[in-house]
Amino acid sequence: IGGIGLDIALFLAAKLKPLAKSIWLPSPSLFQVALFYSGLFVFIKTQNFRIKGLAALCCLALFISTPHDIQFDQATILDVGQGNCTLIETSSGKVIMVDAGGPRSPSFDIGRQVIAPALWAKGIKNIDLLVLSHPDQDHYSGAAFVLEHFPTHTLWIPTTEVADPGWQKMLAIAASQHTATHIPTAAQQYPLSPDRKLSCLTGLHLIPQEKQNNQSLVIKFTSGSHSLLMPGDIESEAERHLVDSQTNLNSDIIIAPHHGSASSSTREFVAEVAAETVIFSASRFKKSYFPAQAVEQSYREFGASPLLTAQTGAITIFFDPKGLETETQK
């Protein structure tokens, strides 16, 4: 008899599946959890219908996401293993994500299982600008899920001419979500406010390159007198071009190009950036490769303190006008 009931339930589930839509909720605060259980307790115990209605409204608090108000601009470098994902939030309410990658397999989606929960935990529902530096999966593999579940106004990419099926699927999802897709030009800026700017520093992505890494968008975020440099996976050839073209690379913080690979972070480039802090976004399982020992030593010689997401977890930078502050997850 129980088996018959299960068969009916499975039959109905299969027939109703096309009508179903997943509902994703932000992580509730302790206050919301307390309000939910208080409302549930009152709803069960009381016989008064008016009080039952008020108790039911208290239970609904669990499904309401609260806005994430911040005093200063901040950037969070998420721990996505071997990959890159930086979330920038401004105190004026703008949300920018630079890269959305990390490991991916048939059973693991970095967008669904790491990036999206981080956004929901912050009460973020929409993204103003998503920048994907180049078509390597460790920089874009989570973008498809993000585009599907977070309305995104604008997408910056270096190219549309990539044979990678994952990249093409991501672009198709962006089109279906009516996200405006652009290939930025050299020195193009995304409008923020007079004292904030996000710029694409070079047009190398517009020129055919021997290595795909060297077509990465090089992005710089400036808040007041402080700045964060995000150079994607550029290697030594692109770094030399930036130094020779006298591009303003000087930044307080840099996310090391190519995860701290030995093929990047030439001494000339490191000296030109002159960062106080270098962040290596890489997997704890590849610590013998990323960062390369010589690269980390080079940054130290030029005065930069290293932070590794593999050791610290997510890293948040607060752009306080009085001075930068850094907080790590661990």
Side-chain angles (χ1 to χ4, degrees), residues 71-325:
Q71 185 177 2
F72 307 116
D73 297 348
Q74 64 184 49
T76 302
I77 295 84
L78 297 179
D79 178 10
V80 291
Q82 188 61 33
N84 277 68
C85 182
T86 301
L87 178 64
I88 298 171
E89 304 165 81
T90 70
S91 57
S92 61
K94 293 287 187 181
V95 177
I96 299 163
M97 184 180 290
V98 180
D99 284 331
R104 185 185 178 92
S105 71
S107 61
F108 182 82
D109 182 337
I110 196 77
R112 174 175 177 166
Q113 288 161 276
V114 176
I115 299 173
L119 294 174
W120 285 318
K122 288 175 172 286
I124 293 173
K125 298 179 181 178
N126 306 281
I127 297 173
D128 295 287
L129 173 65
L130 172 60
V131 180
L132 300 177
S133 62
H134 65 297
D136 275 359
Q137 287 210 2
D138 60 345
H139 288 254
Y140 82 83
S141 62
F145 187 89
V146 170
L147 286 165
E148 282 183 309
H149 294 86
F150 298 85
T152 303
H153 185 270
T154 305
L155 172 66
W156 276 10
I157 55 172
T159 179
T160 58
E161 299 175 3
V162 177
D164 182 359
W167 184 261
Q168 294 304 327
K169 177 186 176 183
M170 179 274 300
L171 291 178
I173 290 172
S176 70
Q177 299 295 323
H178 307 292
T179 298
T181 302
H182 297 291
I183 298 175
T185 57
Q188 183 168 338
Q189 294 187 7
Y190 183 78
L192 290 172
S193 65
D195 59 338
R196 302 182 188 92
K197 63 181 179 181
L198 185 129
S199 310
C200 177
L201 295 187
T202 177
L204 281 173
H205 58 285
L206 304 173
I207 306 168
Q209 302 287 335
E210 185 178 346
K211 294 181 179 180
Q212 181 174 275
N213 283 346
N214 286 328
Q215 288 187 294
S216 296
L217 300 179
V218 179
I219 303 297
K220 186 175 183 179
F221 172 68
T222 303
S223 174
S225 59
H226 304 297
S227 54
L228 167 66
L229 184 64
M230 297 161 280
D233 272 359
I234 61 171
E235 299 187 29
S236 55
E237 300 89 343
E239 291 177 354
R240 279 194 292 270
H241 171 85
L242 287 166
V243 172
D244 293 343
S245 62
Q246 297 184 332
T247 303
N248 181 15
L249 298 171
N250 184 256
S251 304
D252 298 276
I253 300 177
I254 180 174
I255 299 176
H258 204 195
H259 318 284
S261 164
S263 63
S264 303
S265 296
T266 59
R267 292 182 66 82
E268 295 78 12
F269 177 79
V270 172
E272 196 69 25
V273 175
E276 296 176 7
T277 304
V278 55
I279 296 172
F280 297 103
S281 182
S283 171
R284 60 180 57 88
F285 301 111
K286 295 192 176 184
K287 57 187 178 182
S288 58
Y289 299 101
F290 306 104
Q293 187 174 357
V295 168
E296 184 177 348
Q297 182 60 33
S298 181
Y299 278 105
R300 287 182 185 275
E301 288 178 13
F302 285 99
S305 301
L307 288 173
L308 286 68
T309 57
Q311 296 176 354
T312 66
I315 300 165
T316 301
I317 305 155
F318 299 94
F319 291 86
D320 186 337
K322 297 178 182 177
L324 290 175
E325 293 185 15

